[in-house]
Amino acid sequence: MKIAVCIKQVPTREWQPRLTDDRTWVRDQDIAYEMNEPDAYALEEGLRLREKHSGEVVVVSAGPARVQQVIREALARGADRAIHAQDDAFGRADAAASAAAVAEAIRGEGFDVVLTGLQSDDQGHAQFGPVLAERLGMPHSTIIMEVQVTDRTLKAKRELEGGWFQYVSMPLPALLTIQSGINQLRYATLKGIMAAKKKEIRVVAPAAPVTARQRIVALALPQKAKQTAMIGGTPAEAAKELVRRLRDEARAL
Amino acid sequence: VILVVAEQRDGRLNRASWEAIAAAQALAAGQDQIIVAIPGGAVQDAAAELSAAAVAGVWTVTHDALAAYTPDAYVAALAAVVAEAAPSHVCFAHTYQTRDFAAVLAARLDRTLVTDVVAVSRGTDGTPLYSRPMFQGKLVAEVAAEGPAPHLVSFQIGAFRADAAARGPGAPVTAKPAAIDTASLRQTAEAPFQEAKAAVDLTQAERIVAIGRGIKAQEHMALAEQLAAAFGAELAASRPICDNGWLPMERQIGSSGQTVAPKLYVAAGISGAIQHLVGMKGSRTIVAINKDADAPIFEVADYGIQGDLFEIAPALIAELGKG
């Protein structure tokens, strides 16, 4: 089985955003990056499918040169090789623009299964997977918590809202977007890290210029929905004051 | 024309459809006609309900293949609806179902889709600017949609109020049966089910203490339990805690878990990703404890303590213990 896993490099959760002077993007030089968390679960699911059905796992990422950090990490965790659609424009492009370029980069590979995370922790469009499926002419399903493949049929457990699920079946080749928590992640071993250095990363330039159709006019810190009373002091003082105000002001205790 | 795509399951209207109508009315600003399309198998009850909205019309988009939702059938049906209505905008509630098919619809139409929108404003030239969260809610972006119309827009659940949707004298309901080539449908969907019946109904709890990534390790969950007990509260959590198996899934608050509105909600070590906020922001009094002063949870909190959870929680347990 030939499996592609699309991953994105995103800022770490601890990162504090600082804006560029024109306030339309964040200062790249301040950012520490990591693999988008749902994509890490997609990678793990891809590795498990390979263990069960044999074949290969190819990690695919669109982004500037810096994304080879997460590509190497994926190779160290066990992916066999990588395809890197490289262009600085991917750093800010919307999901549909990235998906269109990735579709062109992998079209000739003939993947049976394409996996990716349900959304990215940076722009959070939640569109890359469905658009890639459409561009590749594959059926798809989203927010998946279980994957079974038998013969040429894929059955996936799709998460609905409020604790509901449903099973959806479709013929291969197919694309799924994976929900965090579907499996337990493995981490790279030293042996994996050494082996990753010898694995192939095929760099492809986009055939056409990457044209986004969403323009960020301004970025800002979110407006507070409520006036938050911040309570300071030592932990004991803050605890005492909070409890007093919850009793006397909010009458919540 | 602005087209709103409403949502139903087994004929019952998803209340978020009213939020999408309210958003479409804000976007129309009295200038554009609004048509609401409701796809499904049998949708007459949902359509009758929707006809109470102040809109130009309700279209029932029906076909046997739309009775059980699949993305292929919905995209096929709605691509035809968009072609007929020729709208400037297509509005959706940002439900899991919308997330499943709307991006494919946009790709098939070769149009742009702006997701998870929380507000609409106007640029100096009058073009709509869509506010949407980015970077896990750390920032809000104002986005202009480009390329040819229609622009597709999905609105975050709870961003527009369902009861704010203007009602009218009764909009005409028009049957628009879908023509779908069933041979082109690739997915087969089974009936939705619930994994385990919720042993705890958190929606009935008066007080909830919810724990997030800030608790760091499973061995610290005892501290979380003590904190909940001190408040006389049910213990709940954000998704990562349940993913790790540190609390059962039925104690998860957020879009994939329960939606609650207790008298008191204490969010401890929860940064406040939007998927969590939608499940709890209706709580009457919200307390946030987080080491990061910029954590989005403070945007919805009435009271905040910035500090180390492992110092604040024991102090609170001691203070509450004094009675």
Side-chain angles (χ1 to χ4, degrees):
Chain A
M1 185 183 298
K2 205 167 163 183
I3 303 155
V5 180
C6 300
I7 63 170
K8 189 171 193 185
Q9 186 196 41
V10 299
T12 60
R13 285 177 181 274
E14 292 72 34
W15 163 74
Q16 301 287 347
R18 289 179 61 195
L19 301 182
T20 52
D21 290 338
D22 67 359
R23 307 183 74 80
T24 64
W25 196 241
V26 291
R27 282 165 47 112
D28 289 322
Q29 61 267 42
D30 301 331
I31 305 178
Y33 291 100
E34 63 187 5
M35 193 185 303
N36 183 46
E37 187 175 72
D39 297 343
Y41 285 98
L43 172 63
E44 176 64 38
E45 203 58 27
L47 296 173
R48 289 179 187 212
L49 282 176
R50 184 190 63 190
E51 282 158 9
K52 201 178 281 179
H53 301 278
S54 77
E56 67 168 344
V57 171
V58 181
V59 61
V60 181
S61 192
R66 59 172 161 80
V67 308
Q68 294 210 355
Q69 171 217 1
V70 292
I71 291 176
R72 287 285 172 208
E73 189 188 330
L75 293 172
R77 289 193 197 185
D80 298 288
R81 61 187 171 92
I83 299 171
H84 176 194
Q86 187 175 328
D87 193 305
D88 286 347
F90 288 127
R92 294 174 67 158
D94 61 64
S98 300
V102 167
E104 293 319 307
I106 69 173
R107 190 177 299 283
E109 290 274 353
F111 288 113
D112 300 298
V113 175
V114 180
L115 303 177
T116 190
L118 79 162
Q119 72 180 66
S120 64
D121 286 347
D122 55 359
Q123 296 204 43
H125 292 293
Q127 295 190 50
F128 178 89
V131 174
L132 181 59
E134 174 69 9
R135 297 277 179 227
L136 293 173
M138 290 183 185
H140 81 286
S141 191
T142 55
I143 319 188
I144 296 306
M145 283 298 281
E146 186 186 314
V147 182
Q148 306 163 19
V149 179
T150 39
D151 300 324
R152 296 297 292 171
T153 302
L154 183 154
K155 185 174 179 181
K157 182 173 150 193
R158 174 175 166 245
E159 185 179 297
L160 310 175
E161 282 118 334
W164 289 77
F165 298 88
Q166 76 177 153
Y167 282 98
V168 182
S169 300
M170 66 202 84
L172 296 183
L175 181 145
L176 299 175
T177 77
I178 300 297
Q179 169 69 292
S180 292
I182 183 176
N183 49 40
Q184 290 286 323
L185 299 179
R186 78 189 68 190
Y187 290 95
T189 59
L190 187 60
K191 194 172 152 220
I193 293 166
M194 298 308 291
K197 294 181 177 165
K198 299 195 198 83
K199 290 176 178 172
E200 178 205 1
I201 301 178
R202 181 160 67 84
V203 178
V204 267
V210 179
T211 45
R213 277 188 176 160
Q214 291 181 30
R215 185 166 49 86
I216 297 173
V217 177
L219 276 176
L221 290 171
Q223 297 231 314
K224 281 176 172 292
K226 283 183 174 173
Q227 202 62 31
T228 309
M230 293 301 292
I231 297 171
T234 65
E237 287 163 359
K240 189 171 182 186
E241 176 66 3
L242 175 64
V243 170
R244 185 189 71 74
R245 294 177 76 162
L246 288 178
R247 282 205 175 106
D248 300 347
E249 249 174 39
R251 300 187 183 280
L253 287 177
Chain B
V1 170
I2 294 178
L3 180 70
V4 176
V5 177
E7 182 174 322
Q8 54 75 36
R9 192 204 287 175
D10 297 332
R12 279 189 307 279
L13 187 67
N14 185 330
R15 199 177 141 71
S17 301
W18 282 103
E19 299 178 15
I21 292 170
Q25 288 171 339
L27 185 59
Q31 301 295 305
D32 303 277
Q33 284 201 334
I34 297 173
I35 291 170
V36 182
I38 173 82
V43 299
Q44 51 276 49
D45 291 352
E49 203 178 320
L50 289 165
S51 70
V55 297
V58 176
W59 290 5
T60 56
V61 182
T62 50
H63 192 286
D64 287 347
L66 297 170
Y69 165 80
T70 64
D72 277 357
Y74 267 56
V75 169
L78 289 169
V81 169
V82 170
E84 184 175 349
S88 59
H89 297 84
V90 185
C91 298
F92 309 84
H94 192 59
T95 60
Y96 279 27
Q97 185 164 299
T98 294
R99 293 167 58 135
D100 197 55
F101 77 83
V104 175
L105 176 64
R108 191 157 306 172
L109 299 168
D110 195 19
R111 298 294 184 266
T112 196
L113 164 66
V114 186
T115 51
D116 210 14
V117 170
V118 295
V120 181
S121 59
R122 298 277 166 179
T124 44
D125 59 353
T127 54
L129 296 177
Y130 305 102
S131 296
R132 60 185 303 278
M134 278 203 188
F135 300 105
Q136 296 273 294
K138 287 175 182 164
L139 294 173
V140 176
E142 277 190 344
V143 176
E146 298 185 330
H151 296 151
L152 288 69
V153 187
S154 75
F155 293 91
Q156 185 179 103
I157 306 301
F160 287 78
R161 291 172 57 99
D163 56 15
R167 265 59 172 183
V173 176
T174 310
K176 298 278 180 182
I180 296 173
D181 171 15
T182 50
S184 73
L185 305 180
R186 298 164 294 183
Q187 301 97 349
T188 317
E190 295 178 21
F193 63 94
Q194 270 183 307
E195 195 93 290
K197 54 188 183 308
V200 274
D201 185 2
L202 294 175
T203 63
Q204 299 303 314
E206 278 217 339
R207 290 182 285 273
I208 292 174
V209 169
I211 296 295
R213 286 179 199 265
I215 199 75
K216 290 195 177 116
Q218 186 165 20
E219 69 221 51
H220 299 139
M221 287 304 290
L223 179 65
E225 282 166 25
Q226 289 163 23
L227 184 65
F231 272 105
E234 288 283 353
L235 183 61
S238 62
R239 177 156 192 130
I241 300 302
C242 299
D243 281 347
N244 288 342
W246 298 352
L247 267 190
M249 279 288 178
E250 65 256 26
R251 287 189 181 263
Q252 182 197 328
I253 304 292
S255 52
S256 53
Q258 299 199 46
T259 299
V260 297
K263 211 161 85 174
L264 175 65
Y265 191 92
V266 180
I270 292 176
S271 66
I274 187 61
Q275 294 87 342
H276 185 74
L277 296 186
V278 296
M280 50 65 73
K281 64 185 177 186
S283 305
R284 205 179 80 195
T285 300
I286 297 172
V287 174
I289 304 165
N290 205 290
K291 66 179 190 326
D292 173 10
D294 294 322
I297 191 72
F298 286 118
E299 288 150 35
V300 300
D302 299 280
Y303 300 101
I305 299 178
Q306 186 205 349
D308 184 346
L309 177 59
F310 297 102
E311 293 176 3
I312 307 291
L316 273 170
I317 292 164
E319 183 63 31
L320 289 160
K322 289 177 188 167

